[in-house]
Amino acid sequence: MRSSDFDLFIIGGGVNGCGIARDAAGRGLSVCLAERNDLASATSSASTKLFHGGLRYLEYFEFRLVRDALIERETLLRAMPHIAWPMRFVLPYHPDMRFDSETPTSRLLTRILPGMKGRRPAWLIRLGLFLYDSLGRCQILPGTERLDLADSPEGQPLQDRFRLAFEYSDCWVEDSRLVVLNARDAAERGARIMVRTEVTSARRMKDHWLIEMVDKDSGQTHSATADMLVNAAGPWAAETVTATIGQGASARLRHVRGSHIVVERLYDHDKCYFLQGSDGRIVFAIPYETDFTLIGTTDVDHADIGERPYCTDEERDYLLAFVNRYFDRQLSAGDVVWTYSGVRPLYDDGAQTAAAATRDYVIEADTDGALLINIFGGKITTYRKLAEHALDEIAAHRPDIAPGWTAGVALPGGDFPVDAFDSQVEALRQRYPFLDIGWARRLARAYGTDAFTLLGDARNAGDLGRDFGARLTQREVDWLVEKEWAREADDILWRRSKLGLRFDSAMVARLSDYMDRQTRRSAAE
Ligand SMILES: Cc1cc2nc3c(=O)[nH]c(=O)nc-3n(C[C@H](O)[C@H](O)[C@H](O)COP(=O)(O)OP(=O)(O)OC[C@H]3O[C@@H](n4cnc5c(N)ncnc54)[C@H](O)[C@@H]3O)c2cc1C
C-alpha cells in the first residue's frame, strides 16, 4: 500500500534535475520535480553549450572524465539531432602559447625538458588531440586534421602570424532546450513538473520525506511526501543540504563564475576557434544564432551565491582582449550586443585556481533513513550518465525498478537520423511552403519532428495567429506555454529560444502583455 505521494521528489529544474526526472519516470517511478524559477534559469542556460570531452582537462590528467564525456557525445547526438550537432574546432598554433604553469602536464614537461618551461609546443597539442580522438572512439565525428592557415578560409579572419592550426571535433547543444525537452519527456512518462515552486523545507520522517513548498506567483504554500529525495539544486546544492534539509554540512562546492559575450558575426564560416592565451587559459569563439559570434568563457571565483552573476566590465574586456590577439578585426566594448553569466557548481577538490577545480561530479547517497541523494558538480555533457548513476543508487533501495533505458531513446522531436537535419527542414518547407528557410531551420532546430505537430493544419502564416516579431507566432507561444512551462516573455525569448537577440523593447512588451492575459485567463478557468 503506497503511503507517500511520490516515489521520488527532485529539488531543482536544471539539466541534472530534469535528466534524473526523465530517467526515473521512464523506469516506472512516480516523480515530482520543483523548480523555484523557470526551468534552466540558472547554470543550465549559461553554459558554453558544448557536448565536449574537455580537451584542456587532459592537461590535468582527468582521463576518465574526458573519455566518458567523449564517448557520451555521440550517444547524445543520436538522441537529439535537432538541438545538438557536430562542430569543427580550429586551434591556431603560435609558439607564444603558454600553459597554466600549475597543470600536472606543465610540471611534468618542465621536469623532463626544463627548456620548455611553461610552453605548449605544437607536438604536444598534436599528441593531446591524438589522445582525444582515441579516447573518444568516434563513429560520427571526424578526427583531427592539420590546417595550413595561409591558404584556407579558416585562416582568413586571423592575423598573419598564425600559419598553422589543428582542427578537431566536438558538438554544440542548445543547453536550455535540452533541459526543457528532458522535462517534457519526463512529464510524458508521468512525472509532475512544477515551475516557480520553491522548496522551503524537506524533513526526513521515519520512512519518507515531508517537503514544504511555496508557489512563487500566488504565495500559497503546499506540501508533499516522497519515499526518496534528490537534491539537484546546482550551485545551491550545499546550501540546500544545510538550510533546506537541515543536515550538517557535507561536500563543499566551489562557485566559479563564467561569462560570455556575444558580438555580431566575426567571420563567415561555420567552424569554431579554440584560442589559447598567454595566461594558459583557453577561450572559444563560436558561430551563434546565424548572425552572431559567441565568445567565452571566464573563470572567476564567485564568493556570494546569493548574488546574481553578471558579466563584469573586467571580464568583458578580458574576453575582448583575448580575441583581439587572434583576429584582424579588432573588437571593442561597443561591439558587444549581449552578455550572460553563470556559476559553475564545482565540487571542491581543493584546487588552487578556479580553472583547475575538477569538472567531475560527485553523487552522495545518504541512506540513514529515507534515501537522500545529493548531486555536486557535473557538466551538461555528463547529465545523462549522472542521471543513470543516481538511478543506480536508487535501484539499490528499489530493486524492482526497470534497468537504464535513456542511451538509445530520442528526446521529444529528436526521432530522426543524426545526419538528416537538412531533409527535416526540406520536408517542413514542402508541407508548409509559406515558411522561409530561416524560419523553417529555426523551427526544425527547436522542435525537430514536433514542428509538424506545432504547425498542424496551417496553410499560411496567418493561420498561426499573431506575429510577435522575428517570426514568433501566437501558435508557437501557446505551444510553449501549454507544453513547455513558459510563463513570462523571458522564458520564451532567452530559454525556449534566443529570439531575445532580435526583439526590441516594444516587441517584448507586446509578448509580455499577451502572456499575462493568457496566464490570467487560465487562472480564472
Ligand atoms: C560558464 C559556464 C560554461 C559551461 N560550459 C559547459 C559546456 O560547454 N559543456 C558542459 O558540458 N558543461 C558546461 N558547463 C557546466 C554546466 O552548465 C553545469 O554543470 C550544469 O548546467 C549544472 O546543472 P545543474 O542542474 O546541476 O544546476 P542548475 O542548472 O543551476 O540547476 C539547479 C536549479 O535548482 C534550482 N533550485 C535551487 N534551489 C531550489 C529550491 N530550494 N527549490 C526549487 N528549486 C531550486 C535553481 O533555481 C536552478 O534552476 C558550464 C558552466 C558554466 C557556468
Side-chain angles (χ1 to χ4, degrees), residues 100-149:
D100 169 349
S101 55
E102 286 310 312
T103 71
T105 308
S106 172
R107 284 202 297 265
L108 181 69
L109 208 66
T110 307
R111 208 172 314 138
I112 306 170
L113 300 166
M116 300 295 298
K117 193 170 183 329
R119 279 181 51 207
R120 222 184 229 150
W123 62 262
L124 188 75
I125 295 175
R126 185 69 193 89
L127 185 70
L129 286 166
F130 172 76
L131 200 60
Y132 205 67
D133 282 348
S134 322
L135 289 172
R137 294 191 230 138
C138 301
Q139 291 175 342
I140 302 171
L141 300 169
T144 299
E145 278 173 29
R146 198 185 150 99
L147 266 183
D148 178 1
L149 290 177

Short mmCIF file of all heavy atoms in Angstrom, two decimals, residues 100-149:
data_model
loop_
_atom_site.label_atom_id
_atom_site.label_comp_id
_atom_site.label_asym_id
_atom_site.label_seq_id
_atom_site.Cartn_x
_atom_site.Cartn_y
_atom_site.Cartn_z
N ASP A 100 49.02 27.03 -18.31
CA ASP A 100 48.90 27.42 -16.91
C ASP A 100 50.03 26.62 -16.24
O ASP A 100 50.06 25.39 -16.31
CB ASP A 100 47.51 26.96 -16.41
CG ASP A 100 47.38 27.08 -14.92
OD1 ASP A 100 48.39 27.30 -14.25
OD2 ASP A 100 46.26 26.92 -14.43
N SER A 101 51.00 27.29 -15.62
CA SER A 101 52.21 26.60 -15.18
C SER A 101 51.94 25.58 -14.08
O SER A 101 52.79 24.77 -13.75
CB SER A 101 53.24 27.62 -14.72
OG SER A 101 52.65 28.42 -13.73
N GLU A 102 50.71 25.59 -13.52
CA GLU A 102 50.43 24.66 -12.42
C GLU A 102 49.75 23.38 -12.88
O GLU A 102 49.40 22.54 -12.07
CB GLU A 102 49.56 25.35 -11.36
CG GLU A 102 50.32 26.37 -10.52
CD GLU A 102 51.61 25.80 -9.95
OE1 GLU A 102 51.57 24.69 -9.39
OE2 GLU A 102 52.66 26.45 -10.09
N THR A 103 49.51 23.19 -14.20
CA THR A 103 48.85 21.93 -14.57
C THR A 103 49.86 20.79 -14.43
O THR A 103 51.07 20.99 -14.61
CB THR A 103 48.32 21.95 -16.03
OG1 THR A 103 49.43 21.91 -16.92
CG2 THR A 103 47.47 23.18 -16.31
N PRO A 104 49.36 19.58 -14.14
CA PRO A 104 50.29 18.46 -13.99
C PRO A 104 51.14 18.26 -15.25
O PRO A 104 52.33 17.95 -15.15
CB PRO A 104 49.35 17.26 -13.76
CG PRO A 104 48.09 17.86 -13.22
CD PRO A 104 47.97 19.21 -13.82
N THR A 105 50.56 18.47 -16.44
CA THR A 105 51.34 18.27 -17.68
C THR A 105 52.48 19.27 -17.75
O THR A 105 53.61 18.94 -18.11
CB THR A 105 50.44 18.43 -18.92
OG1 THR A 105 49.31 17.59 -18.76
CG2 THR A 105 51.16 18.08 -20.19
N SER A 106 52.16 20.53 -17.40
CA SER A 106 53.19 21.57 -17.45
C SER A 106 54.33 21.23 -16.50
O SER A 106 55.51 21.35 -16.83
CB SER A 106 52.55 22.91 -17.09
OG SER A 106 53.52 23.89 -16.96
N ARG A 107 53.97 20.79 -15.29
CA ARG A 107 55.01 20.47 -14.29
C ARG A 107 55.87 19.30 -14.76
O ARG A 107 57.09 19.33 -14.65
CB ARG A 107 54.36 20.16 -12.94
CG ARG A 107 53.87 21.44 -12.22
CD ARG A 107 53.74 21.21 -10.72
NE ARG A 107 52.74 20.20 -10.45
CZ ARG A 107 51.45 20.46 -10.15
NH1 ARG A 107 51.05 21.70 -10.08
NH2 ARG A 107 50.60 19.48 -9.93
N LEU A 108 55.19 18.28 -15.35
CA LEU A 108 55.92 17.10 -15.83
C LEU A 108 56.88 17.49 -16.94
O LEU A 108 58.05 17.10 -16.95
CB LEU A 108 54.91 16.06 -16.34
CG LEU A 108 55.50 14.75 -16.84
CD1 LEU A 108 56.11 13.95 -15.69
CD2 LEU A 108 54.44 13.90 -17.53
N LEU A 109 56.38 18.29 -17.88
CA LEU A 109 57.19 18.70 -19.02
C LEU A 109 58.41 19.52 -18.57
O LEU A 109 59.51 19.35 -19.09
CB LEU A 109 56.32 19.52 -19.98
CG LEU A 109 56.74 19.47 -21.44
CD1 LEU A 109 56.56 18.07 -22.00
CD2 LEU A 109 55.89 20.45 -22.25
N THR A 110 58.17 20.37 -17.59
CA THR A 110 59.27 21.21 -17.09
C THR A 110 60.35 20.34 -16.45
O THR A 110 61.54 20.61 -16.57
CB THR A 110 58.73 22.22 -16.05
OG1 THR A 110 57.64 22.90 -16.64
CG2 THR A 110 59.78 23.23 -15.63
N ARG A 111 59.89 19.24 -15.80
CA ARG A 111 60.87 18.37 -15.16
C ARG A 111 61.68 17.61 -16.21
O ARG A 111 62.89 17.52 -16.14
CB ARG A 111 60.15 17.38 -14.23
CG ARG A 111 61.07 16.95 -13.09
CD ARG A 111 60.37 16.13 -12.02
NE ARG A 111 59.10 16.64 -11.58
CZ ARG A 111 58.00 15.89 -11.36
NH1 ARG A 111 58.03 14.60 -11.57
NH2 ARG A 111 56.89 16.42 -10.93
N ILE A 112 60.99 17.10 -17.26
CA ILE A 112 61.71 16.30 -18.27
C ILE A 112 62.52 17.20 -19.20
O ILE A 112 63.65 16.90 -19.55
CB ILE A 112 60.71 15.47 -19.12
CG1 ILE A 112 59.81 14.63 -18.21
CG2 ILE A 112 61.45 14.54 -20.07
CD1 ILE A 112 58.66 13.98 -18.95
N LEU A 113 61.90 18.29 -19.65
CA LEU A 113 62.55 19.18 -20.61
C LEU A 113 62.56 20.60 -20.04
O LEU A 113 61.69 21.42 -20.37
CB LEU A 113 61.77 19.19 -21.94
CG LEU A 113 61.62 17.87 -22.68
CD1 LEU A 113 60.57 17.96 -23.76
CD2 LEU A 113 62.96 17.50 -23.31
N PRO A 114 63.52 20.92 -19.15
CA PRO A 114 63.48 22.22 -18.47
C PRO A 114 63.43 23.40 -19.44
O PRO A 114 62.82 24.42 -19.14
CB PRO A 114 64.78 22.23 -17.66
CG PRO A 114 65.25 20.83 -17.59
CD PRO A 114 64.68 20.11 -18.75
N GLY A 115 63.98 23.26 -20.64
CA GLY A 115 63.98 24.35 -21.62
C GLY A 115 62.58 24.71 -22.09
O GLY A 115 62.34 25.78 -22.65
N MET A 116 61.60 23.80 -21.89
CA MET A 116 60.22 24.01 -22.39
C MET A 116 59.36 24.76 -21.39
O MET A 116 58.16 24.92 -21.61
CB MET A 116 59.54 22.66 -22.64
CG MET A 116 60.21 21.78 -23.64
SD MET A 116 60.18 22.50 -25.26
CE MET A 116 58.46 22.59 -25.55
N LYS A 117 59.94 25.20 -20.28
CA LYS A 117 59.15 25.72 -19.15
C LYS A 117 57.95 26.59 -19.59
O LYS A 117 58.12 27.60 -20.26
CB LYS A 117 60.05 26.54 -18.23
CG LYS A 117 59.40 26.84 -16.90
CD LYS A 117 60.40 27.43 -15.94
CE LYS A 117 59.86 27.70 -14.56
NZ LYS A 117 58.53 28.05 -14.40
N GLY A 118 56.76 26.12 -19.23
CA GLY A 118 55.55 26.89 -19.49
C GLY A 118 55.07 26.87 -20.93
O GLY A 118 54.00 27.38 -21.22
N ARG A 119 55.83 26.27 -21.86
CA ARG A 119 55.39 26.34 -23.26
C ARG A 119 54.49 25.18 -23.64
O ARG A 119 54.61 24.09 -23.13
CB ARG A 119 56.60 26.38 -24.19
CG ARG A 119 57.17 27.79 -24.26
CD ARG A 119 58.36 27.86 -25.18
NE ARG A 119 58.09 27.27 -26.48
CZ ARG A 119 59.05 26.74 -27.25
NH1 ARG A 119 60.28 26.73 -26.86
NH2 ARG A 119 58.75 26.24 -28.43
N ARG A 120 53.57 25.45 -24.57
CA ARG A 120 52.68 24.40 -25.07
C ARG A 120 53.10 24.14 -26.52
O ARG A 120 52.57 24.77 -27.44
CB ARG A 120 51.26 24.95 -25.05
CG ARG A 120 50.21 24.00 -24.55
CD ARG A 120 48.86 24.66 -24.68
NE ARG A 120 48.06 24.59 -23.48
CZ ARG A 120 47.17 25.50 -23.14
NH1 ARG A 120 47.00 26.57 -23.86
NH2 ARG A 120 46.44 25.34 -22.05
N PRO A 121 54.07 23.25 -26.74
CA PRO A 121 54.59 23.08 -28.09
C PRO A 121 53.60 22.40 -29.03
O PRO A 121 52.68 21.70 -28.57
CB PRO A 121 55.82 22.19 -27.88
CG PRO A 121 55.60 21.50 -26.58
CD PRO A 121 54.71 22.37 -25.75
N ALA A 122 53.80 22.57 -30.34
CA ALA A 122 52.86 22.02 -31.35
C ALA A 122 52.75 20.51 -31.23
O ALA A 122 51.66 19.94 -31.32
CB ALA A 122 53.31 22.42 -32.74
N TRP A 123 53.91 19.82 -31.00
CA TRP A 123 53.85 18.35 -30.95
C TRP A 123 52.99 17.88 -29.78
O TRP A 123 52.31 16.85 -29.84
CB TRP A 123 55.25 17.73 -30.91
CG TRP A 123 56.09 18.09 -29.71
CD1 TRP A 123 57.06 19.04 -29.65
CD2 TRP A 123 56.05 17.49 -28.40
NE1 TRP A 123 57.61 19.10 -28.40
CE2 TRP A 123 57.03 18.15 -27.60
CE3 TRP A 123 55.30 16.48 -27.81
CZ2 TRP A 123 57.25 17.84 -26.27
CZ3 TRP A 123 55.53 16.16 -26.48
CH2 TRP A 123 56.48 16.83 -25.72
N LEU A 124 52.98 18.68 -28.68
CA LEU A 124 52.20 18.27 -27.50
C LEU A 124 50.70 18.44 -27.80
O LEU A 124 49.87 17.61 -27.42
CB LEU A 124 52.60 19.13 -26.30
CG LEU A 124 51.97 18.66 -25.00
CD1 LEU A 124 52.67 17.40 -24.49
CD2 LEU A 124 52.05 19.74 -23.94
N ILE A 125 50.37 19.51 -28.51
CA ILE A 125 48.96 19.72 -28.87
C ILE A 125 48.50 18.59 -29.80
O ILE A 125 47.43 18.02 -29.63
CB ILE A 125 48.79 21.10 -29.56
CG1 ILE A 125 49.11 22.21 -28.55
CG2 ILE A 125 47.39 21.27 -30.11
CD1 ILE A 125 49.12 23.60 -29.12
N ARG A 126 49.37 18.24 -30.74
CA ARG A 126 49.02 17.14 -31.68
C ARG A 126 48.82 15.84 -30.89
O ARG A 126 47.88 15.09 -31.15
CB ARG A 126 50.15 17.01 -32.73
CG ARG A 126 49.84 16.00 -33.81
CD ARG A 126 48.70 16.50 -34.70
NE ARG A 126 48.15 15.47 -35.57
CZ ARG A 126 47.16 14.65 -35.23
NH1 ARG A 126 46.62 14.69 -34.02
NH2 ARG A 126 46.70 13.76 -36.09
N LEU A 127 49.70 15.61 -29.92
CA LEU A 127 49.61 14.40 -29.10
C LEU A 127 48.30 14.41 -28.30
O LEU A 127 47.59 13.40 -28.23
CB LEU A 127 50.81 14.35 -28.15
CG LEU A 127 50.94 13.10 -27.29
CD1 LEU A 127 51.32 11.91 -28.17
CD2 LEU A 127 52.02 13.29 -26.21
N GLY A 128 47.97 15.56 -27.73
CA GLY A 128 46.73 15.69 -26.97
C GLY A 128 45.52 15.40 -27.85
O GLY A 128 44.59 14.69 -27.44
N LEU A 129 45.56 15.91 -29.07
CA LEU A 129 44.41 15.69 -29.98
C LEU A 129 44.34 14.24 -30.43
O LEU A 129 43.24 13.69 -30.61
CB LEU A 129 44.52 16.63 -31.18
CG LEU A 129 44.19 18.09 -30.84
CD1 LEU A 129 44.62 19.03 -31.96
CD2 LEU A 129 42.69 18.25 -30.57
N PHE A 130 45.51 13.60 -30.57
CA PHE A 130 45.53 12.17 -30.92
C PHE A 130 44.85 11.38 -29.80
O PHE A 130 44.00 10.52 -30.04
CB PHE A 130 46.98 11.72 -31.13
CG PHE A 130 47.11 10.24 -31.30
CD1 PHE A 130 46.76 9.63 -32.50
CD2 PHE A 130 47.57 9.44 -30.26
CE1 PHE A 130 46.86 8.26 -32.66
CE2 PHE A 130 47.67 8.07 -30.40
CZ PHE A 130 47.31 7.47 -31.60
N LEU A 131 45.20 11.75 -28.57
CA LEU A 131 44.60 11.09 -27.40
C LEU A 131 43.09 11.35 -27.37
O LEU A 131 42.29 10.45 -27.09
CB LEU A 131 45.27 11.67 -26.15
CG LEU A 131 45.19 10.87 -24.87
CD1 LEU A 131 45.85 9.51 -25.05
CD2 LEU A 131 45.93 11.63 -23.74
N TYR A 132 42.71 12.58 -27.65
CA TYR A 132 41.30 13.00 -27.65
C TYR A 132 40.51 12.14 -28.66
O TYR A 132 39.45 11.63 -28.35
CB TYR A 132 41.23 14.48 -28.05
CG TYR A 132 40.01 15.23 -27.56
CD1 TYR A 132 39.81 15.48 -26.21
CD2 TYR A 132 39.09 15.76 -28.46
CE1 TYR A 132 38.71 16.21 -25.77
CE2 TYR A 132 37.99 16.50 -28.03
CZ TYR A 132 37.82 16.72 -26.68
OH TYR A 132 36.73 17.45 -26.24
N ASP A 133 41.08 11.98 -29.87
CA ASP A 133 40.43 11.15 -30.89
C ASP A 133 40.34 9.70 -30.44
O ASP A 133 39.31 9.04 -30.60
CB ASP A 133 41.23 11.18 -32.20
CG ASP A 133 41.00 12.48 -32.99
OD1 ASP A 133 40.06 13.22 -32.64
OD2 ASP A 133 41.77 12.75 -33.92
N SER A 134 41.45 9.19 -29.85
CA SER A 134 41.48 7.76 -29.49
C SER A 134 40.53 7.47 -28.34
O SER A 134 39.79 6.48 -28.37
CB SER A 134 42.87 7.30 -29.08
OG SER A 134 43.82 7.91 -29.85
N LEU A 135 40.53 8.34 -27.32
CA LEU A 135 39.65 8.10 -26.17
C LEU A 135 38.19 8.16 -26.59
O LEU A 135 37.33 7.48 -26.04
CB LEU A 135 39.90 9.16 -25.09
CG LEU A 135 41.21 9.11 -24.31
CD1 LEU A 135 41.36 10.34 -23.43
CD2 LEU A 135 41.27 7.86 -23.44
N GLY A 136 37.90 8.99 -27.62
CA GLY A 136 36.50 9.25 -28.00
C GLY A 136 35.85 8.13 -28.79
O GLY A 136 34.63 8.07 -28.88
N ARG A 137 36.64 7.23 -29.37
CA ARG A 137 36.11 6.12 -30.18
C ARG A 137 34.97 6.60 -31.10
O ARG A 137 33.85 6.09 -31.07
CB ARG A 137 35.57 5.00 -29.28
CG ARG A 137 36.66 4.33 -28.48
CD ARG A 137 36.12 3.08 -27.84
NE ARG A 137 36.43 3.05 -26.44
CZ ARG A 137 35.59 2.68 -25.47
NH1 ARG A 137 34.37 2.32 -25.76
NH2 ARG A 137 35.98 2.67 -24.23
N CYS A 138 35.27 7.62 -31.94
CA CYS A 138 34.20 8.28 -32.72
C CYS A 138 33.69 7.44 -33.88
O CYS A 138 34.46 6.82 -34.59
CB CYS A 138 34.73 9.58 -33.30
SG CYS A 138 35.30 10.69 -32.05
N GLN A 139 32.36 7.44 -34.04
CA GLN A 139 31.75 6.85 -35.23
C GLN A 139 31.15 7.94 -36.11
O GLN A 139 31.08 7.81 -37.32
CB GLN A 139 30.66 5.85 -34.82
CG GLN A 139 31.25 4.64 -34.17
CD GLN A 139 30.18 3.70 -33.65
OE1 GLN A 139 29.03 4.08 -33.48
NE2 GLN A 139 30.58 2.47 -33.39
N ILE A 140 30.66 9.00 -35.48
CA ILE A 140 30.01 10.07 -36.25
C ILE A 140 30.99 11.21 -36.52
O ILE A 140 31.03 11.77 -37.61
CB ILE A 140 28.81 10.64 -35.45
CG1 ILE A 140 27.80 9.53 -35.12
CG2 ILE A 140 28.14 11.76 -36.22
CD1 ILE A 140 26.70 9.98 -34.15
N LEU A 141 31.77 11.55 -35.52
CA LEU A 141 32.57 12.77 -35.60
C LEU A 141 33.92 12.51 -36.28
O LEU A 141 34.61 11.56 -35.93
CB LEU A 141 32.82 13.31 -34.19
CG LEU A 141 31.56 13.66 -33.41
CD1 LEU A 141 31.89 13.94 -31.96
CD2 LEU A 141 30.88 14.86 -34.03
N PRO A 142 34.30 13.35 -37.26
CA PRO A 142 35.60 13.17 -37.91
C PRO A 142 36.76 13.52 -36.98
O PRO A 142 36.59 14.30 -36.04
CB PRO A 142 35.54 14.14 -39.10
CG PRO A 142 34.44 15.09 -38.82
CD PRO A 142 33.51 14.46 -37.82
N GLY A 143 37.93 12.95 -37.24
CA GLY A 143 39.10 13.12 -36.38
C GLY A 143 39.88 14.40 -36.67
O GLY A 143 39.47 15.24 -37.47
N THR A 144 41.05 14.49 -36.01
CA THR A 144 41.88 15.70 -36.10
C THR A 144 42.58 15.83 -37.45
O THR A 144 42.98 14.83 -38.05
CB THR A 144 42.94 15.64 -34.99
OG1 THR A 144 42.26 15.61 -33.75
CG2 THR A 144 43.86 16.84 -35.02
N GLU A 145 42.72 17.06 -37.91
CA GLU A 145 43.49 17.34 -39.12
C GLU A 145 44.41 18.52 -38.87
O GLU A 145 44.12 19.36 -38.02
CB GLU A 145 42.55 17.72 -40.27
CG GLU A 145 41.92 16.56 -40.96
CD GLU A 145 40.88 17.02 -41.96
OE1 GLU A 145 41.02 18.14 -42.49
OE2 GLU A 145 39.91 16.27 -42.16
N ARG A 146 45.47 18.60 -39.69
CA ARG A 146 46.36 19.76 -39.63
C ARG A 146 45.91 20.73 -40.71
O ARG A 146 45.53 20.31 -41.80
CB ARG A 146 47.76 19.22 -39.94
CG ARG A 146 48.89 20.06 -39.56
CD ARG A 146 50.15 19.34 -40.10
NE ARG A 146 51.15 20.35 -40.41
CZ ARG A 146 52.14 20.65 -39.61
NH1 ARG A 146 52.28 20.01 -38.47
NH2 ARG A 146 53.01 21.57 -39.93
N LEU A 147 45.94 22.03 -40.42
CA LEU A 147 45.46 23.03 -41.39
C LEU A 147 46.56 24.03 -41.70
O LEU A 147 47.19 24.57 -40.78
CB LEU A 147 44.33 23.85 -40.76
CG LEU A 147 42.88 23.48 -40.96
CD1 LEU A 147 42.01 24.53 -40.29
CD2 LEU A 147 42.53 23.39 -42.43
N ASP A 148 46.73 24.31 -42.97
CA ASP A 148 47.64 25.39 -43.35
C ASP A 148 46.81 26.68 -43.42
O ASP A 148 45.99 26.85 -44.31
CB ASP A 148 48.25 25.04 -44.72
CG ASP A 148 49.16 26.15 -45.18
OD1 ASP A 148 49.33 27.15 -44.45
OD2 ASP A 148 49.71 26.01 -46.29
N LEU A 149 47.02 27.57 -42.47
CA LEU A 149 46.14 28.76 -42.37
C LEU A 149 46.40 29.77 -43.48
O LEU A 149 45.53 30.59 -43.79
CB LEU A 149 46.32 29.43 -41.01
CG LEU A 149 45.77 28.66 -39.82
CD1 LEU A 149 46.09 29.40 -38.52
CD2 LEU A 149 44.27 28.44 -39.94
#
